[in-house]
Amino acid sequence: MPKKARVNDDAAGAWGSVTAAAASTGMLGAAFEANFQSIARQGQGLATPVLESLLKFSAEGGDMPEFGPGGLDVAIAALYEHDEQFIGAMRGIVTHEKDIVKAVEWWTKAAEKGNVLAQVRLANWYCANHDYLKFEHFVALAALNTPIGDKQYDAKITDALENHTSNITTKREGLKVIRDMYGLNMGDDVVEAFAAPMTCAPPHAAVNLTHHIAKCFMNGIYGIKKNLQISKDYLKLSAKLKGTKKYVEADLERLRGCAKCGGTGAWACALCKVTRYCSKECQEWHWFNGDEPHRDHCPRAETPSKYAELKKITAFDLQITSFA
């Protein structure tokens, strides 16, 4: 019997009852349950538990194409998660303990193979766990192959894709607000590079869009020139959003501390007024040395803080995304 037609010797043929049509119309919950029902009809006393069977099948190079790309990974992820949408009434034959870490690992495997369901599931998971960039990353991947409003996908997927389109606009307008407010010499090409769908791995972790903006100005990425004052303003703004302070405090401490040793930043660079040091020795060393010698990266001009003005603007006007 061909490998793809079986799980193992104990459950040979048990998974062949699910049609591609069921999966293609978004009935993945019904399709998954149908598989369990097929197993149950063979007798509930299978020699090998369901999860173990699928793990063995995966190790042998098997797959479940009826669930789309990486379909077997989807099935294993759902079992680790004890996902009701998939397992349904057949939960009684699941004997293993729930393991979210393993579930995310297998959802990720499926997502990397192009499984839209897995990509949206991970987007929702990272949203709930305060990781804005991974949320954006997996929604962007899902949007590559799924037209908005495609009726073969369920409402959660359609909502995520609509969120993706909105997010691009949000980032574009958000950076324009900064450009105008701080009077930056920033071209539209930089704005578009920042707003582009994040299909590559995120460059850092961020809890919301303001935190992401702060880290972009902190590290100088997407063509954005490094500016620690803007970074500081946006870190403080992000910390004001409900439930997010603990996620950005470490970055604020980094800006407040000595740029060389991390100690107490007793004074700031006389030119930019932002980069801080604990001693003259650290300041002199950092001017010439380190991964980013300050001699090369100091803007040699003070950027006035706009935090007071930022606090007066509503979150809606600033186009802030927060998952708190």
Side-chain angles (χ1 to χ4, degrees):
M1 179 178 293
K3 185 180 292 184
K4 287 189 177 182
R6 65 180 178 82
V7 175
N8 61 17
D9 293 339
D10 294 317
W15 302 89
S17 63
V18 180
T19 65
S24 68
T25 55
M27 297 172 60
L28 289 173
F32 200 81
E33 187 168 337
N35 278 304
F36 276 94
Q37 290 171 345
S38 178
I39 288 178
R41 285 195 293 271
Q42 297 182 72
Q44 296 182 1
L46 288 176
T48 307
V50 174
L51 179 60
E52 187 177 335
S53 296
L54 296 193
L55 290 172
K56 180 180 179 182
F57 190 39
S58 176
E60 293 173 350
D63 202 353
M64 296 170 122
E66 62 269 26
F67 290 158
L72 181 56
D73 302 328
V74 168
I76 294 172
L79 283 168
Y80 270 122
E81 194 171 341
H82 289 194
D83 190 286
E84 290 286 353
Q85 176 187 353
F86 293 87
I87 298 173
M90 305 310 295
R91 194 175 75 172
I93 68 172
V94 173
T95 59
H96 61 277
E97 292 186 2
K98 185 174 183 178
D99 190 331
I100 294 298
V101 173
K102 284 287 186 181
V104 171
E105 176 186 331
W106 285 91
W107 282 121
T108 302
K109 289 181 180 181
E112 290 172 348
K113 294 175 182 177
N115 190 287
V116 175
L117 179 70
Q119 290 161 353
V120 174
R121 178 60 64 92
L122 285 170
N124 291 334
W125 191 85
Y126 283 114
C127 171
N129 285 275
H130 301 278
D131 194 326
Y132 166 79
L133 294 189
K134 285 189 177 178
F135 158 79
E136 181 187 347
H137 173 62
F138 285 109
V139 169
L141 291 181
L144 283 176
N145 301 313
T146 310
I148 293 176
D150 192 324
K151 299 302 182 183
Q152 69 171 311
Y153 294 103
D154 64 21
K156 288 183 179 179
I157 295 180
T158 301
D159 288 347
L161 299 181
E162 289 175 347
N163 197 342
H164 165 71
T165 301
S166 174
N167 194 50
I168 294 173
T169 301
T170 294
K171 291 196 296 179
R172 179 184 294 115
E173 297 306 316
L175 196 57
K176 286 181 179 179
V177 166
I178 296 173
R179 182 176 65 181
D180 296 342
M181 180 172 286
Y182 290 89
L184 302 179
N185 181 19
M186 179 185 292
D188 288 341
D189 57 332
V190 174
V191 174
E192 292 307 314
F194 175 74
M198 191 175 293
T199 55
C200 297
H204 47 238
V207 66
N208 50 41
L209 179 55
T210 53
H211 190 198
H212 177 40
I213 288 172
K215 297 192 85 163
C216 288
F217 278 98
M218 178 185 289
N219 301 315
I221 59 176
Y222 296 116
I224 294 173
K225 291 183 179 180
K226 188 172 182 178
N227 189 307
L228 297 185
Q229 183 59 62
I230 296 176
S231 178
K232 183 177 180 181
D233 286 351
Y234 268 75
L235 285 171
K236 291 167 64 177
L237 187 65
S238 183
K240 288 290 185 181
L241 298 173
K242 182 180 178 181
T244 65
K245 183 177 181 179
K246 63 180 180 180
Y247 296 101
V248 302
E249 190 61 34
D251 291 320
L252 278 169
E253 287 301 316
R254 175 183 165 188
L255 290 183
R256 293 167 182 153
C258 175
K260 178 185 183 294
C261 69
T264 302
W267 64 81
C269 167
L271 299 176
C272 65
K273 307 294 186 183
V274 178
T275 303
R276 305 193 69 82
Y277 302 97
C278 64
S279 66
K280 286 293 184 182
E281 290 76 16
C282 280
Q283 184 176 18
E284 289 173 0
W285 182 92
H286 190 245
W287 182 255
F288 297 101
N289 303 286
D291 295 335
E292 296 183 349
H294 198 53
R295 177 180 60 177
D296 299 332
H297 293 275
C298 178
R300 291 172 170 76
E302 182 180 357
T303 300
S305 172
K306 299 293 182 180
Y307 181 63
E309 292 94 323
L310 289 173
K311 286 196 302 182
K312 298 176 183 178
I313 301 175
T314 66
F316 178 80
D317 290 337
L318 276 175
Q319 297 290 305
I320 293 173
T321 299
S322 176
F323 295 132

